[in-house]
Each structure stands twice: as C-alpha cells, then as structure tokens.
Amino acid sequence: MVVGDFPIELDTLVVGAGPGGYVAAIRAAQSGQNVTIVDKGNLGGVCLNVGCVPSKALIQAGHRYEHAQGAEDMGIKSENTTVDFSKVQEWKGGVVNKLTGGVEGLLKGNKVDIIKGEVYFVDKNTVRVMDEKNSQTYTFNNCIIATGSRPIEIPSFKFSDRVLDSTGALNLDEIPEKMVVIGGGYIGTELGTAYANFGTQVTILEGTKDILGGFEKQMSSIVKKRLKKKGVDVVTEAMAQGVEETENGVTVKYEAKGEEKSIDADYVLVTVGRRPNTDEIGLEDLGIKMTDKGIIEIDKQCRTSIDNIYAIGDIVEGPPLAHKASYEGKIAAEAISGEKSEIDYLGIPAVVFSDPELASVGYTEQEAKDAGYEVKASKFPFAANGRALSLNESDGFLKLVTRKEDGLVIGAQIAGANASDMIAELGLAIESGMTAEDLALTIHAHPTLGEITMEAAEVAIDQPIHIVK
C-alpha cells in the first residue's frame, strides 16, 4: 500500500466512532474482517462526549445536591449545602475521558485501525478522508455509515453563548439563576430537571399538549408533578417565536393560549429534535435512497440501496437511541460476514432519566390493541413495595402488557425510581417469549425494587399478594 495519490485498499470501513460505529467495528473485527474506523471528532461520538454519558453525570450530580439539602420527613436536616460547579464539570469531564479512552483501547485491542478526518464518498467503493493538513483516498469492500445526528437549530433561535443546544447546556461554567427550555422531550426534560435540582428556576415551553410525548400520559403526569415540586414551570401548547440577547441574558418571546408573552432568563436551551448527519458527505451523488429528511432507507440487515454499504443509528428510521445504534451495528457487521442476523426492534427499551425515571419496552397497551392483540394490562404501584418506601420513592408504577390468550409478555412500562435498570428484565422476558407466570414464579430478592416486576406478574395471573384487586 502506498500513501499519497494512490488509494489505500481497505476491507471493511466504518464511518463514525459513536456507540453504533465503534461497536460495529469491534463486532466486524471479531467476525474476522480487517476493519478501519474513521471519525472527525473524539472517539465515542455524541453519546460519550456530549450526550448520554455527560448528561447522566450532570443529572446524578444534581440529584446528589438535592439529597444533600436534607429530607425533613425522614428527620434529616442540612444547612449551608453548596455547589462548586467547576468541580462538578471537572468530575463530569473525568467520567467522559475514562470512557472515551476505554473505547480507544477496545478498538486497538481488537486490531481496528483508527483514522481521524472527515469522509466524503466518491463512489460506492471509494472515499476521500480529509483532515486539516492532508487528504487521502481509500477504497473499501464494505462500509458501515454511522455518522449520527446533531441538534436542530430553529431559525429564530440561532445557537450562541446564550442560546444553547444540549452540548452548550452540558458545558456551562455556572449554575444559571433562570433558564428557559424550548422542547419538553426527553433531552429538555432531563437537562431541565438537572438544573432545577441545582436550584435554577426553569421554564419548559412545549408546543404540543404534553411533555414527553413518546410516553403514556399516566407516566408523564408523574414527572410533571415532581417538576412542579421542584418549582419548574411547564407551559404546554406554547410556540416559541424569538429571542432577544444581551450580554447577561435573554428574553424569550412565545405565544400560549392566544396570548403573546415573554420571559427573561440567563440562558435558553433549544431541544426540539435532532437532524441526521447525512448531508455534505457525498451520499446524494452516490445515489443512496433517502427520505426528504435525510434518513437512509435500509433493509432488515441494515443494508442500504447499495449492496456493500450499510447504515445504522440516528441516520436510519427509528428513535435516536445509543443502544439502538449499537444493536444495529452488530447486525450490520454480522451481515457483512454472511450471517443471517436481522433487526427486530420489539425488545428495544426507551428510557428517560427524568425524576422519577420512565422506561418502556415492547408494546404499550394502546399499541398492542392497535396491532390487533387482545391484551391485559396489569399494574403494581411503587407505594406497595417495601424497598421503594424505604428509599422514600413511592411515586410510580409498573404496568405489564400481556396477551390474553396465553399470558405472553409483549410490553411493559415503568414510571419510578431505577426504571432504567428495571426495564432490562422485562426486555429479556419479551425477547425470550416468557409469560406472566414465568415472571411470577421467578424468585426475586427481598426487599428490592425488582420485586415490583414479580408483583405485577402476579396481578396479571390474578394472584396478587400485596395489593387487593
């Protein structure tokens, strides 16, 4: 191989080193492929660097501060609790660095070659990779595109020092006194909650009738009650119109219930969705089939309309979830190796790290009915669980969706403490074809939140112990 004007030949090329790309690269290498991964930014992508991981670290720090202020109903009082926010940011950065460094070690340990630079597709077997100084052509046999997504910018809210996207909100060097959040989806709710826990006066402006629109109303209503206790003002059916910036803050103008209003704050955070990174890399000239929103069309093996090119993660249909991207990355890598792996999204969970947490997997009750199933919905409250009471976390419930004819578990929803961890057992139940009786007969340790799964299953088989039907 000669570096320079001559192309360098590659076997499998992965474009993007986020949770989809680096997982795909490792699985492809494990399958015997010679793999090269290229990314213009830091390894780990948005998720590890400026998304999932740092946001959860900030959320956890906010919870710690909130708890440190005491719990008078438990007889605990605390005075003069303070926050060194620069230290919080330093700790958060340390978490990120450990994980991104770990990704590099994993790639190198699996003999994946790493290239830094921006990719442009020349044809279906050729890319040009450019950095600040050089440009090099590479040819490949197969390629997995995993370029992720970026925040959508509203024309009347151009990102700046005071108009923030999620990355900007994660990297503030101060705790704002006031913050406006435009968009009450999972990102807006999570970051709004984190800053509210630090003492920021937060206002959430949501254009639809409710926040967290992807979850059932009985779940989001529990989050809204907790937000109200934190002093967060949630304004629904509110249309943001514009912003005026000063050196020290912003004035956000919006319309709600036919009235034009404005609100002053230190910062405004815009979280109205994400846009796939499929532009400016040559895909249009390549002829890959995409929707008018830039989403790449794929088959059951993540293969695009060009046989040797695959696509995964935020750039294909479905929710922009890191674990979805990782799952698809494994499928694409295995498909290149000739395995019969195919995507099946039923067991992919959706989680919001709100307060309390929300999690859902499989069908909701309404989705199951719309799909033609006769179902039974069985709920068990956190308030009837000993561990939840001892944690002072009695808000919430677990709902099990089972098929009436045989008790097969086809869905579950959790609103409550540790929902993000609890949902895994229910995803396994769906993937394994388990019934409510299987869950009810599984001995769960006591006292734990995990028992709530067993208790809901006992409701499903009409044998509840700790609630009266």
Side-chain angles (χ1 to χ4, degrees):
M1 297 188 299
V2 180
V3 179
D5 293 334
F6 296 95
I8 297 175
E9 296 179 2
L10 305 175
D11 182 13
T12 297
L13 173 67
V14 179
V15 181
Y22 85 76
V23 169
I26 291 172
R27 180 53 54 87
Q30 290 172 343
S31 301
Q33 300 166 43
N34 293 317
V35 185
T36 300
I37 191 167
V38 58
D39 198 299
K40 65 180 180 180
N42 295 327
L43 297 176
V46 168
C47 176
L48 268 66
N49 289 280
V50 291
C52 320
V53 171
S55 67
K56 303 318 171 277
L58 191 67
I59 289 166
Q60 182 61 28
H63 282 311
R64 288 289 182 93
Y65 176 63
E66 183 185 38
H67 293 161
Q69 295 179 80
E72 291 194 13
D73 54 343
M74 296 173 72
I76 299 171
K77 295 183 180 181
S78 180
E79 296 180 0
N80 302 320
T81 304
T82 61
V83 178
D84 182 344
F85 202 61
S86 63
K87 189 70 175 177
V88 171
Q89 292 288 27
E90 182 183 333
W91 169 76
K92 175 173 68 68
V95 172
V96 170
N97 290 336
K98 287 178 183 177
L99 287 170
T100 53
V103 169
E104 183 174 7
L106 289 168
L107 288 169
K108 289 182 176 179
N110 283 277
K111 299 181 179 179
V112 175
D113 292 326
I114 302 169
I115 299 175
K116 290 286 185 179
E118 294 190 47
V119 169
Y120 190 87
F121 283 85
V122 178
D123 59 43
K124 72 183 189 70
N125 291 103
T126 311
V127 295
R128 195 81 177 166
V129 178
M130 298 154 283
D131 59 23
E132 293 179 355
K133 297 180 179 179
N134 303 302
S135 176
Q136 175 64 51
T137 300
Y138 296 87
T139 61
F140 58 84
N141 294 322
N142 293 285
C143 178
I144 300 173
I145 307 174
T147 47
S149 62
R150 62 187 184 273
I152 292 174
E153 185 177 58
I154 304 174
S156 54
F157 286 83
K158 293 289 185 181
F159 294 135
S160 66
D161 290 341
R162 295 284 169 180
V163 181
L164 309 175
D165 60 10
S166 55
T167 300
L170 285 169
N171 292 314
L172 290 176
D173 56 10
E174 63 180 352
I175 299 174
E177 289 187 16
K178 295 181 179 180
M179 175 182 282
V180 175
V181 178
I182 298 176
Y186 70 95
I187 296 175
T189 300
E190 288 182 351
L191 292 180
T193 299
Y195 277 105
N197 286 339
F198 281 120
T200 302
Q201 185 179 331
V202 176
T203 300
I204 297 176
L205 303 179
E206 169 55 42
T208 64
K209 293 183 178 180
D210 210 351
I211 63 170
L212 299 171
F215 290 84
E216 295 179 315
K217 189 172 183 179
Q218 55 189 317
M219 300 173 73
S220 60
S221 64
I222 297 174
V223 175
K224 285 170 67 177
K225 288 179 182 177
R226 194 73 68 88
L227 286 171
K228 187 174 182 179
K229 287 183 180 179
K230 297 176 189 293
V232 177
D233 186 16
V234 178
V235 185
T236 56
E237 297 183 277
M239 302 305 295
Q241 296 179 324
V243 60
E244 294 180 0
E245 293 183 61
T246 66
E247 185 178 343
N248 299 315
V250 294
T251 299
V252 177
K253 297 180 180 180
Y254 68 97
E255 181 181 330
K257 297 181 180 179
E259 294 183 31
E260 292 188 1
K261 300 182 179 182
S262 65
I263 183 171
D264 296 326
D266 300 298
Y267 299 94
V268 55
L269 166 60
V270 181
T271 60
V272 293
R274 300 187 65 84
R275 187 187 311 280
N277 292 327
T278 52
D279 51 345
E280 300 182 355
I281 59 173
L283 296 184
E284 297 89 348
D285 295 335
L286 203 59
I288 284 182
K289 288 185 179 179
M290 293 188 287
T291 70
D292 55 1
K293 293 183 178 180
I295 294 292
I296 298 175
E297 297 179 9
I298 58 172
D299 65 11
K300 286 285 188 180
Q301 290 195 305
C302 300
R303 188 180 292 102
T304 70
S305 56
I306 297 177
D307 283 351
N308 67 318
I309 298 179
Y310 298 71
I312 62 173
D314 294 2
I315 60 174
V316 303
E317 194 66 41
L321 302 171
H323 48 277
K324 170 181 171 288
S326 298
Y327 168 75
E328 290 168 344
K330 296 171 188 175
I331 299 297
E334 291 165 2
I336 290 172
S337 290
E339 298 182 37
K340 295 181 179 180
S341 304
E342 291 187 352
I343 50 179
D344 178 3
Y345 295 124
L346 183 60
I348 289 186
V351 175
V352 179
F353 291 83
S354 49
D355 188 9
E357 294 178 353
L358 304 183
S360 180
V361 66
Y363 289 105
T364 64
E365 182 180 0
Q366 189 58 53
E367 287 171 346
K369 290 177 179 177
D370 291 344
Y373 291 104
E374 284 192 48
V375 296
K376 180 176 183 179
S378 308
K379 289 174 66 176
F380 190 87
F382 272 58
N385 174 263
R387 180 60 174 156
L389 291 172
S390 68
L391 290 171
N392 203 26
E393 291 283 358
S394 59
D395 291 341
F397 62 87
L398 186 153
K399 181 163 74 169
L400 205 59
V401 181
T402 54
R403 200 164 60 186
K404 270 190 177 180
E405 62 188 78
D406 53 11
L408 184 72
V409 179
I410 61 173
Q413 290 76 47
I414 310 173
N418 288 45
S420 59
D421 296 317
M422 293 172 63
I423 201 67
E425 179 182 7
L426 293 156
L428 176 62
I430 293 171
E431 290 285 357
S432 303
M434 297 174 68
T435 65
E437 185 177 28
D438 292 325
L439 290 175
L441 291 174
T442 301
I443 301 172
H444 289 68
H446 174 78
T448 62
L449 295 175
E451 288 179 285
I452 296 173
T453 299
M454 178 186 69
E455 303 270 17
E458 289 179 339
V459 174
I461 63 174
D462 298 317
Q463 295 179 338
I465 300 296
H466 291 110
I467 60 170
V468 178
K469 288 194 69 177

